[in-house]
Amino acid sequence: MITLQGLTKRYGGQAAVDNLSLTIAAGRVTGFLGPNGAGKSTTMRMIMGLDHPTSGQALVGGRPYAELAYPLREIGALLDAKAVHPGRSARAHLRALARTNGIPVQRVDEVLETVGLTSVANRRAGSYSLGMGQRLGIAGALLGNPGVVMFDEPVNGLDPDGVRWIRGLMRGLAAEGRTVFVSSHLMSEMQLTADHLVIIGKGRLITETSVKELIDSSSLNAVRVRGADQEGLKKLVARLHEWSVPVRWESHNELYITGLTVDRVSDVAYELGIRLHEVRSVEASLEQAYMELTADSVEFGAASGHQHPGAGA
Amino acid sequence: MTTSMPVTTAGQPVRASGGGLPGAVASEWIKLWSVRSTWWCLLGGAGLMLLTTPIIGATMANNKKEGTTVPVGDVAVATVYVAQFALIALAMLMITAEYASGSIRTTLQSVPMRGRLLAAKTAVAAAVSLLAGVVFGLIGVGVSSLSLGDKAGTAGGEALGSALRIGVYLALVAVLTVAVAVAVRSAAGTLTIVFVGLTVLPVVLQASDIDPLVALAERMPNSAGTVFMNADTTPYGPGMGLLLLVLWALGTLAVGFYALRKRDA
């Protein structure tokens, strides 16, 4: 379990992390989301005792990182895949790590096997691909068999096979009852992997919710209506306006209607005698729900077109 | 590399012992010997001793009056001022290579107590430099007695004592280097500070002819090291030379420790 209590980090006058309080529970995958510069990595570095909080504290199993006698047995983290001396072999790197925390040396071979690096364990880490470096970082995180694992952007630069592997690994670790805390930019990936979400923007907590709740709450869940009868569609729009139901023309023969069910829309069309070719519900993706939620807290946003449901789905 | 199979992560429970300072020292030891640069530094230092000792020995012999001998220990000491940079590089890389690669964050995650980490790195750098320094010293006295022939002054245990003192001097220079590297983090910065501090600054101060500055130059690591290694009696004794060296090393280490503790990694 990871506990943040009023965690704050200021650089100069600006708060990178601003009074963040939360508990990351065991037995599930908690996704840590937020735009670039939202403070995700800073938060993770403070949890790992690398950065000093300006105020507040981050606790692992109830204690600050610096007070853990054998930290690698409590929490393992992949913060930066390339954080290995390029001239050192994976095996030597892990053996050196193991010695600091009194971890038996045979555990090195176990984790190398787990991440699939056994055959290249004696090669210089500098010769590794990004994916292999990522696997080595994960081997280091698992070395002490910790109850808490934390990954910062673990699927960055991985091939589809590697992405699937990480997904399975994280699900597996959570199923074993461990705390899994993972940051990512890839919403589609989080939608598949995470149970719970912590979303921050500009260093502050925006929301803490489940993946399902977040998607359900999106205004972009809509009913898509398509038909060749333009006059009929106009009549439908007029009726919906009377009821103050939000409706939007997607093209000359397509409507998106928010707040009504497919059944209700179909009934209204039937009552009005409109011939339709398609009525179906469109569910917002996690990405869309997330974009909607964080629209105000994007620090380095570019001017962009209107987000509409179904785009890129 | 296909690993889409089910993943098992649970291993045997790890034993509740080990780690601590001995674990941190063992880790630094493994790290030091698992990169090639360590071997290059040691071979380079030994090579420098082998190649420059005869040259420096010949120079010193030429400056002596006909019929007098040159103590081989003095030749070894003079040569060490060149070869020391190999061990300075070795000690420096224990810190700066970690900052350059980002692996310092992995290291600090495994040993979050900054004092323990610095103690482990310092101990390993000093121990390796002590042993390498004695070997360098032996190369120096051995090669110079051969190259100087009948001009070699090889009085009894003198030469062996010189080799031992060279080892101690280089161990303390290694500690000094680790301390500077921890404080500044970059290789270029560390090398500049150590080089200027050891060789340039004392010469500049000495040349100033301003008494307090000359007195300071005489008490800087370079001069203190010369007095200690050559067992000179002026301007102070070898014991004082050793004490000054230790004070410089510990003082710089305190600065490095302060920076390491205060700073975000």
Side-chain angles (χ1 to χ4, degrees):
Chain A
M1 193 172 77
I2 301 171
T3 316
L4 310 182
Q5 296 171 346
L7 193 66
T8 302
K9 178 72 180 179
R10 290 180 186 284
Y11 296 106
Q14 192 154 14
V17 175
D18 195 357
N19 199 19
L20 204 54
S21 294
L22 34 102
T23 300
I24 297 131
R28 67 185 183 192
V29 177
T30 303
F32 193 26
L33 312 179
N36 282 336
K40 299 190 296 293
S41 294
T42 307
T43 301
M44 286 187 157
R45 282 202 305 273
M46 286 193 283
I47 292 170
M48 297 308 289
L50 295 172
D51 287 8
H52 305 286
T54 309
S55 61
Q57 53 180 355
L59 305 175
V60 177
R63 278 182 302 164
Y65 194 89
E67 286 176 18
L68 302 172
Y70 301 103
L72 298 185
R73 302 181 193 172
E74 308 270 343
I75 178 168
L78 167 76
L79 295 186
D80 174 5
K82 283 284 171 187
V84 181
H85 190 298
R88 188 172 290 128
S89 73
R91 178 168 277 124
H93 169 74
L94 293 172
R95 275 181 55 221
L97 273 185
R99 288 305 295 267
T100 58
N101 277 245
I103 296 164
V105 95
Q106 63 263 31
R107 180 74 187 145
V108 168
D109 289 320
E110 282 175 27
V111 293
L112 281 168
E113 188 72 44
T114 301
V115 302
L117 287 180
T118 305
S119 61
V120 292
N122 294 324
R123 259 171 57 185
R124 292 152 52 93
S127 72
Y128 284 9
S129 67
L130 186 57
M132 289 157 85
Q134 209 82 330
R135 286 167 191 264
L136 177 55
I138 289 168
L142 299 178
L143 190 62
N145 204 4
V148 183
V149 290
M150 197 163 76
F151 300 128
D152 195 6
E153 303 286 351
V155 300
N156 263 8
L158 291 190
D159 57 17
D161 185 55
V163 172
R164 267 179 48 137
W165 176 75
I166 297 242
R167 197 185 298 154
L169 176 79
M170 289 194 291
R171 304 285 336 157
L173 289 167
E176 286 166 7
R178 299 175 209 252
T179 306
V180 182
F181 191 41
V182 54
S183 80
S184 183
H185 285 113
L186 299 176
M187 293 304 134
S188 50
E189 195 47 45
M190 283 290 102
Q191 195 163 2
L192 288 168
T193 315
D195 308 293
H196 201 72
L197 297 174
V198 169
I199 302 179
I200 65 170
K202 292 179 179 165
R204 289 173 162 275
L205 184 68
I206 293 178
T207 190
E208 209 196 326
T209 179
S210 73
V211 173
K212 190 179 178 317
E213 274 168 8
L214 180 63
I215 292 174
D216 287 350
S217 72
S218 172
S219 69
L220 298 173
N221 295 310
V223 175
R224 178 175 185 244
V225 169
R226 185 172 60 83
D229 174 9
Q230 270 213 52
E231 288 312 308
L233 289 179
K234 280 177 186 162
K235 273 203 292 186
L236 180 59
V237 169
R239 174 63 58 90
L240 294 172
H241 275 319
E242 284 170 29
W243 297 341
S244 302
V245 171
V247 57
R248 185 164 54 78
W249 287 97
E250 185 63 20
S251 68
H252 68 280
N253 63 350
E254 250 181 302
L255 294 174
Y256 277 88
I257 300 159
T258 316
L260 292 184
T261 62
V262 170
D263 294 4
R264 187 78 188 102
V265 171
S266 305
D267 289 348
V268 174
Y270 179 77
E271 283 161 21
L272 295 173
I274 306 164
R275 184 168 158 191
L276 297 179
H277 292 159
E278 181 180 354
V279 182
R280 74 176 164 97
S281 80
V282 180
E283 195 184 51
S285 65
L286 177 61
E287 177 170 275
Q288 289 162 340
Y290 164 83
M291 294 303 292
E292 218 179 333
L293 199 64
T294 59
D296 297 335
S297 46
V298 177
E299 190 159 12
F300 309 105
S304 66
H306 185 67
Q307 284 285 327
H308 58 79
Chain B
M1 200 164 47
T2 302
T3 39
S4 298
M5 55 191 172
V7 179
T8 51
T9 49
Q12 297 159 352
V14 291
R15 83 194 135 112
S17 64
L21 182 61
V25 169
S27 174
E28 291 303 326
W29 185 261
I30 292 171
K31 285 197 278 185
L32 181 69
W33 297 108
S34 58
V35 289
R36 288 180 198 165
S37 59
T38 303
W39 299 98
W40 285 120
C41 287
L42 292 175
L43 283 174
L48 274 175
M49 289 300 297
L50 272 173
L51 292 173
T52 46
T53 302
I55 302 167
I56 289 176
T59 312
M60 288 171 78
N62 284 339
N63 293 340
K64 288 267 178 179
K65 272 186 295 190
E66 202 64 33
T68 55
T69 58
V70 179
V72 289
D74 289 9
V75 179
V77 168
T79 313
V80 157
Y81 287 118
V82 181
Q84 66 179 340
F85 283 96
L87 292 180
I88 287 170
L90 182 147
M92 174 192 83
L93 286 170
M94 287 182 69
I95 309 284
T96 58
E98 293 215 12
Y99 277 101
S101 67
S103 59
I104 187 69
R105 287 193 289 277
T106 310
T107 300
L108 286 173
Q109 280 171 46
S110 61
V111 184
M113 293 169 77
R114 305 319 196 233
R116 181 187 289 173
L117 178 68
L118 189 56
K121 282 190 179 288
T122 306
V124 169
V128 171
S129 297
L130 175 68
L131 288 176
V134 171
V135 173
F136 286 9
L138 291 174
I139 293 173
V141 297
V143 171
S144 56
S145 21
L146 286 175
S147 72
L148 288 173
D150 57 3
K151 280 189 167 183
T154 48
E158 269 304 279
L160 198 64
S162 292
L164 280 174
R165 286 193 297 271
I166 285 170
V168 172
Y169 166 77
L170 288 176
L172 288 167
V173 167
V175 173
L176 196 73
T177 306
V178 165
V180 172
V182 163
V184 303
R185 289 174 285 179
S186 80
T190 304
L191 214 50
T192 306
I193 291 173
V194 173
F195 183 78
V196 169
L198 279 185
T199 65
V200 179
L201 203 55
V203 176
V204 172
L205 294 177
Q206 206 99 48
S208 73
D209 248 351
I210 302 165
D211 284 346
L213 295 186
V214 172
L216 174 63
E218 281 170 350
R219 282 157 186 80
M220 287 185 69
N222 186 56
S223 310
T226 308
V227 171
F228 166 64
M229 287 188 284
N230 284 335
D232 287 343
T233 47
T234 52
Y236 42 80
M240 188 55 161
L242 178 62
L243 181 66
L244 283 168
L245 272 175
V246 169
L247 288 177
W248 276 105
L250 292 183
T252 320
L253 207 53
V255 174
F257 175 57
Y258 178 80
L260 183 65
R261 224 180 51 167
K262 277 280 158 194
R263 200 169 48 205
D264 287 338

